[in-house]
Amino acid sequence: MKTYNSLSEIQSDLATGKTNCVSLVNDYLHRIEEKKQLNAFLEVFTASALEKAKQVDEKLKTNTAGKLAGMVIGIKDNLCYKNHKVSASSKILEGFESLYSSTVVERLLAEDAIIIGRCNCDEFAMGSSNETSAYGNVLNPLDETRVPGGSSGGAAAAVAADLCLASLGTDTGGSIRQPASFCGLVGLKPTYGRVSRYGAIAYASSFDQIGPITKNITDAALIMEVMAGKDEYDSTVSSKPVPEYSKMLDNQPAKLRIAYLKDCVEAQGLNPEIKAYIYSVIEKLKADGHTVEAVDFPYLDYLVPTYYVLTTAEASSNLARYDGIGYGYRSKNATDLESTYKKSRTEGFGTEVKRRIMLGTFVLSAGYYDAYYSKGQRVRRFIQNKTNEILNNYDFILSPTTPGTAFKFGEHATDPIAMYLEDIFTVQAPITGIPAISLPMGKHSNGLPFGVQVMGKPFSEGEMFSFSKYLMEL
Ligand code: GLN
């Protein structure tokens, strides 16, 4: 059974008749079965994937197939796909079937991608290790004693283990980039407003974005050019035209100006090997003629608190809809309306989700709104202004994606703060709305990969892709 590292490899085998979509899907299904212990998929869409594969094979015969023909994709279990289950890895949505497809799913299918199943994740995308899923841990395929990262842990593990070619995750504070870093993959969080969130189960609506997890830049660019852009179902999506990103990859970057945040690279808690690696990348860039400079970013200590105040506030509001009435889990022990709400939510949500709903309710409560929520919004603005100031002077900001490599199960289990600090380098992008990509460049002496993160100006995904490709080949 051949494994593929890019869509172009698959498409050339399809063109020469070495394979077809049905046997491709069967191979992936076979590997999913073989690697069941990873728990990367909550459900495999065998029937609809094979059906779609058959259709694409027909289209290929008549040269009418879309540009993603042959791309077998896993979707995080918070993206809706019509007539398929979706649960956000929560008991509260157990058995719920979506009545419509998210815009991203519609657009991928329209270009003949094949959706093979839904991937395990942290419950409601809250977590950094996939340990908060109601359906069990996902194992990191590179070292099964370690976490794959989160919250899109299943989506990353699935690609790393060749259970699909690419996957879609969502990123609110790092949930695409951190698992990509832990599993040795490319992960992009697009600019806020680049990709429609219609049909994505909301966690924190002013932060959430959907993005690709892939083995290479070209596949990420292809997925982005298909799924990005204006959508009448999501008014936060920009109407800016979407460039053909995959055609811009070889635009050799001219002399670039690159910033790195000294406070990040010198941060306590950053693994020394990762730090040394970042400095080595900086040296290579300089040697290649680019300007790379350290800049001050005095708000490092405020990033994680701002993120957790604001996202929990938004989550407490977004998750109010799971009340045991409209859909999803309803407690059998309820006796009246009040106890239906209370017991359904108490029994349906996991510990981390409850912690965040309570925290969010607290920061929004009348007595504390100004002290926490309003303050958080103001700090968000400070961080945005400072970040924009840096990006007015530089093309990109370079940083590590994560402070360390994939950690062991349970390592942060008793200390939520330690877990939250995993997000230190990834939350700046969603706080400010800028795009950020994690590139699988580093290899630690412990054998595990780690990512280098590139952040760019809003809507500079095209430039980021070509710079990323260049950087990975440098
Ligand atoms: N790890 C972060 C959190 O726990 C990020 C989650 C996300 O991006 N969805 O909130």
Side-chain angles (χ1 to χ4, degrees):
M1 225 171 10
K2 183 169 173 187
T3 54
Y4 291 96
N5 290 319
S6 68
L7 182 61
S8 68
E9 279 177 20
I10 291 180
Q11 290 186 337
S12 83
D13 277 6
L14 288 172
T16 54
K18 284 204 188 102
T19 190
N20 56 49
C21 292
V22 169
S23 65
L24 192 65
V25 168
N26 277 323
D27 283 356
Y28 280 116
L29 290 172
H30 187 81
R31 268 196 302 272
I32 292 172
E33 193 51 40
E34 254 176 20
K35 295 269 175 180
K36 241 191 149 78
Q37 82 279 8
L38 296 176
N39 201 22
F41 280 93
L42 291 180
E43 186 184 355
V44 180
F45 301 146
T46 309
S48 58
L50 284 170
E51 179 57 38
K52 178 78 186 173
K54 238 188 268 167
Q55 288 168 12
V56 184
D57 280 335
E58 285 308 312
K59 287 190 184 177
L60 283 166
K61 284 186 201 148
T62 54
N63 262 326
T64 51
K67 70 162 97 169
L68 298 184
M71 184 173 269
V72 178
I73 291 196
I75 55 174
K76 185 176 180 177
D77 186 37
N78 61 356
L79 298 171
C80 295
Y81 182 7
K82 190 172 176 173
N83 298 333
H84 291 76
K85 289 197 178 104
V86 61
S87 77
S89 291
S90 180
K91 282 256 173 293
I92 212 151
L93 276 173
E94 193 160 10
F96 176 76
E97 210 171 277
S98 186
L99 301 174
Y100 63 91
S101 286
S102 50
T103 297
V104 290
V105 162
E106 292 272 358
R107 290 185 182 173
L108 292 179
L109 290 173
E111 286 295 339
D112 288 330
I114 298 164
I115 297 178
I116 197 158
R118 57 184 170 104
C119 297
N120 203 343
C121 59
D122 280 299
E123 186 178 4
F124 284 100
M126 298 175 183
S128 302
S129 61
N130 220 115
E131 292 169 292
T132 76
S133 167
Y135 304 102
N137 292 341
V138 174
L139 313 186
N140 187 323
L142 307 177
D143 176 349
E144 296 188 5
T145 66
R146 291 172 190 268
V147 306
S151 62
S152 316
V159 178
D162 289 308
L163 312 185
C164 49
L165 180 68
S167 61
L168 293 189
T170 61
D171 190 311
T172 306
S175 278
I176 289 174
R177 292 160 288 152
Q178 186 250 20
S181 172
F182 282 7
C183 293
L185 301 165
V186 172
L188 170 78
K189 183 209 84 81
T191 309
Y192 187 80
R194 183 70 296 187
V195 175
S196 169
R197 290 175 293 113
Y198 178 71
I201 294 179
Y203 158 20
S205 309
S206 76
F207 292 71
D208 298 341
Q209 274 294 289
I210 302 165
I213 299 178
T214 58
K215 289 189 173 182
N216 61 69
I217 299 292
T218 312
D219 287 353
L222 277 166
I223 292 174
M224 276 301 289
E225 71 192 34
V226 167
M227 70 180 187
K230 197 166 151 55
D231 180 20
E232 61 175 311
Y233 295 115
D234 178 357
S235 60
T236 63
V237 182
S238 165
S239 54
K240 266 187 207 302
V242 178
E244 266 196 288
Y245 299 122
S246 63
K247 303 255 163 73
M248 299 168 65
L249 298 178
D250 293 318
N251 299 0
Q252 181 66 24
K255 300 299 168 213
L256 292 168
R257 290 180 54 77
I258 298 151
Y260 65 95
L261 311 179
K262 201 160 176 62
D263 310 76
C264 282
V265 187
E266 293 296 330
Q268 251 192 2
L270 175 61
N271 183 291
E273 277 187 43
I274 300 183
K275 175 173 161 178
Y277 184 76
I278 296 290
Y279 277 119
S280 77
V281 173
I282 290 171
E283 287 316 313
K284 275 197 208 163
L285 283 166
K286 283 185 183 162
D288 217 29
H290 304 288
T291 304
V292 191
E293 290 172 348
V295 295
D296 286 332
F297 184 75
Y299 303 124
L300 193 66
D301 288 346
Y302 300 96
L303 290 173
V304 169
T306 305
Y307 170 80
Y308 278 95
V309 167
L310 296 178
T311 56
T312 55
E314 293 188 26
S316 73
S317 164
N318 273 328
L319 272 60
R321 73 191 71 173
Y322 306 103
D323 57 5
I325 304 289
Y327 46 83
Y329 177 78
R330 180 180 297 168
S331 172
K332 304 257 176 308
N333 308 316
T335 49
D336 56 10
L337 184 64
E338 177 92 10
S339 68
T340 302
Y341 292 153
K342 272 196 189 156
K343 290 191 194 291
S344 301
R345 287 168 70 80
T346 304
E347 295 160 20
F349 287 132
T351 311
E352 183 59 26
V353 173
K354 284 185 211 163
R355 180 183 291 128
R356 295 196 193 195
I357 291 174
M358 286 191 279
L359 196 57
T361 307
F362 175 76
V363 302
L364 287 174
S365 61
Y368 293 97
Y369 187 94
D370 281 341
Y372 292 102
Y373 184 71
S374 299
K375 181 77 68 61
Q377 292 286 33
R378 273 180 275 148
V379 179
R380 185 178 199 180
R381 175 59 64 190
F382 271 109
I383 295 169
Q384 278 169 338
N385 289 347
K386 184 70 196 170
T387 305
N388 289 339
E389 192 187 306
I390 297 170
L391 286 168
N392 285 337
N393 286 318
Y394 296 91
D395 298 294
F396 301 109
I397 302 173
L398 202 67
S399 81
T401 307
T402 50
T405 54
F407 47 90
K408 298 255 182 196
F409 290 99
E411 209 170 299
H412 298 320
T414 51
D415 185 358
I417 304 288
M419 188 70 99
Y420 296 171
L421 284 172
E422 281 292 319
D423 306 329
I424 180 106
F425 304 126
T426 48
V427 292
Q428 186 180 357
I431 287 175
T432 56
I434 61 173
I437 192 165
S438 179
L439 306 172
M441 291 173 61
K443 181 99 180 182
H444 197 274
S445 61
N446 65 11
L448 293 166
F450 58 86
V452 169
Q453 178 175 245
V454 175
M455 293 185 270
K457 299 184 203 328
F459 301 99
S460 70
E461 280 82 356
E463 291 76 9
M464 270 172 65
F465 283 136
S466 58
F467 177 59
S468 299
K469 184 160 178 263
Y470 156 81
L471 198 57
M472 285 174 67
E473 290 164 2
L474 191 66

